[in-house]
Amino acid sequence: MIETPPLNNRVLDKLGVWVSAMCALHCIMLPILIPAIPLLASSFVAQGWFEGSILTISIIVGFAALLIGFKQYHRQIYPIYSLSLGALIYWNKDIFGEAYEPFTIAIGAGFIIAAHLINLKLCRQCKSC
């Protein structure tokens, strides 16, 4: 019988997926919404500190969830590689220029979301726990 991971690990993984997805949605939708809603462009959502906060929270939650899964369940390192690659892409989001920044961040968020989903799957499949 396969045991489900404890609530704290599942919650952290799901929170990590949610935060990364919200970050990607923020970055993709903001360029579309700015011309349509000028008030939004001047709000806190368009500020650099807001974006940096989302990115930082996403990465911290991600590493916490993946380290718990690694230590307690599956001993597989590749979800941490995926998260690290996503974080690296996040922080170098302007490498291809400002025009491609939303897409670059969406790719980074995709790697982070994939890391959480893989971690959840590995934790559920752990037979030695």
Side-chain angles (χ1 to χ4, degrees):
M1 184 169 158
I2 299 173
E3 293 184 28
T4 58
L7 183 62
N8 63 346
N9 191 38
R10 286 191 332 227
V11 169
L12 284 175
D13 274 322
K14 289 178 182 179
L15 179 63
V17 168
W18 185 83
V19 171
S20 296
M22 289 298 103
C23 181
L25 184 64
H26 165 265
C27 293
I28 290 171
M29 293 303 296
L30 194 59
I32 296 168
L33 294 176
I34 287 176
I37 308 170
L39 183 59
L40 183 63
S42 63
S43 73
F44 74 95
V45 177
Q47 302 298 318
W49 65 266
F50 183 73
E51 183 177 300
S53 298
I54 291 173
L55 298 177
T56 302
I57 290 168
S58 172
I59 292 166
I60 290 171
V61 168
F63 275 114
L66 296 182
L67 288 175
I68 289 170
F70 175 82
K71 286 183 178 183
Q72 292 182 356
Y73 296 101
H74 52 74
R75 298 284 182 197
Q76 299 293 325
I77 195 82
Y78 61 92
I80 295 173
Y81 291 153
S82 181
L83 179 80
S84 300
L85 180 59
L88 184 66
I89 291 170
Y90 264 178
W91 288 112
N92 294 296
K93 63 189 177 292
D94 56 353
I95 195 167
F96 298 113
E98 193 173 318
Y100 294 102
E101 187 174 314
F103 302 107
T104 307
I105 290 178
I107 291 168
F111 277 107
I112 292 174
I113 291 169
H116 285 291
L117 295 176
I118 291 167
N119 190 51
L120 281 169
K121 182 180 177 183
L122 289 171
C123 289
R124 275 186 256 143
Q125 291 178 345
C126 182
K127 295 186 190 319
S128 63
C129 303

